[in-house]
Amino acid sequence: MNWFARIERSIADFVERAFARSFPSDLEPAQVARKLVAVMEAQTRSGVDGSTRAPSGYEARVSDLDYERLEEHRDYLERQWADLLEDCAARVGIVFADGPARVKMIARPDLPSGTVDVRVEPEPTVVEEIEEDLHHRFFLHMVQGAPAYGIFALEESTVIGRSESSDIFLLDPGISRVHARIDIRDGVATIVDCGSTNGTYINDERIDRHALSDGDEIVVGSTRMRVEIRD
């Protein structure tokens, strides 16, 4: 039984209210909203306690062009899409598995304009137990960006960028293809900006080169990562 067929009118009304403003894009926010509901429905499962559960986090992947056109309204859209999922879930008794519903719009250069690809937010990256040596004392924890909750172990030289060949590949249109590099020498990790367009920031201060300390926050584009140094 398709639960959401019973509330199609409610979804339509919500979409019309929430997205009544005009957005300058070939991709309609209501199109994204309906795709989000469909994915939530497809991912809904029965829990061992008898509850009906759905994932909490979703990624709405759109083309670079549509992202640029909608970015001005991104916060508003993400809130409205999450509210729609909450509204639909409440009507049919669905519980979210990990806190309130959340939606993040992400630019994907491989998608054509006017299309949307909705995915469930990736599970937190699990770092396998590794030998505590020079090259694996340094880690980056994703604070804001995708993959959500990602953890990256730093090698002797680690490139951060939007190019798929980067050691840390980030889907962020504000990041250069080769944005920054982290080098580990004599037990010290140093980040170097590689001539990026939008700059590299440590604790909100733009830098060209900086020796990293435990707890430092690296910001590139709209992505924020925290440094962890293990003894």
Side-chain angles (χ1 to χ4, degrees), residues 149-214:
Y149 313 111
I151 303 175
F152 305 96
L154 299 180
E155 301 293 339
E156 187 173 0
S157 182
T158 302
V159 173
I160 301 170
R162 193 160 48 87
S163 168
E164 293 186 10
S165 62
S166 300
D167 300 304
I168 299 180
F169 168 47
L170 300 174
L171 291 172
D172 184 334
I175 294 175
S176 298
R177 292 182 61 80
V178 179
H179 195 102
R181 186 184 72 251
I182 298 176
D183 296 321
I184 301 175
R185 300 286 187 274
D186 299 323
V188 176
T190 302
I191 187 167
V192 180
D193 183 81
C194 297
S196 65
T197 300
N198 295 324
T200 299
Y201 293 79
I202 303 297
N203 303 325
D204 298 321
E205 181 178 345
R206 186 164 183 167
I207 57 92
D208 293 321
R209 174 184 292 268
H210 184 85
L212 296 171
S213 300
D214 187 57

Side-chain angles (χ1 to χ4, degrees), residues 22-148:
S22 175
F23 293 93
S25 173
D26 293 333
L27 178 67
E28 293 293 335
Q31 179 183 345
V32 178
R34 291 183 181 278
K35 187 67 176 290
L36 282 163
V37 172
V39 171
M40 180 176 72
E41 176 191 6
Q43 294 293 326
T44 298
R45 300 288 185 271
S46 296
V48 294
D49 58 356
S51 63
T52 304
R53 305 176 74 84
S56 299
Y58 299 84
E59 294 179 353
R61 303 179 176 191
V62 302
S63 71
D64 282 347
L65 179 60
D66 285 319
Y67 184 91
E68 289 174 5
R69 290 172 171 170
L70 293 173
E71 187 175 16
E72 178 184 355
H73 312 286
R74 177 181 174 182
D75 290 344
Y76 170 81
L77 290 171
E78 289 177 343
R79 287 196 305 270
Q80 294 298 328
W81 287 327
D83 286 348
L84 173 60
L85 294 180
E86 292 277 359
D87 183 75
C88 292
R91 290 176 182 271
V92 293
I94 288 176
V95 177
F96 289 106
D98 181 26
R102 55 187 181 272
V103 178
K104 181 175 294 185
M105 184 170 66
I106 296 174
R108 284 297 299 261
D110 56 321
L111 288 177
S113 179
T115 63
V116 58
D117 177 24
V118 172
R119 306 283 183 92
V120 172
E121 189 177 80
E123 293 293 327
T125 302
V126 177
V127 177
E128 296 180 358
E129 290 297 325
I130 53 180
E131 182 180 356
E132 292 290 348
D133 59 14
L134 171 64
H135 304 314
H136 291 104
R137 291 180 51 231
F138 299 89
F139 299 83
L140 294 184
H141 289 242
M142 186 68 72
V143 176
Q144 175 181 308

Side-chain angles (χ1 to χ4, degrees), residues 4-22:
F4 293 99
R6 294 183 293 157
I7 57 171
E8 173 61 25
R9 185 63 258 169
S10 296
I11 296 174
D13 290 343
F14 186 96
V15 168
E16 288 169 7
R17 292 196 307 273
F19 306 121
R21 67 172 69 180
S22 175

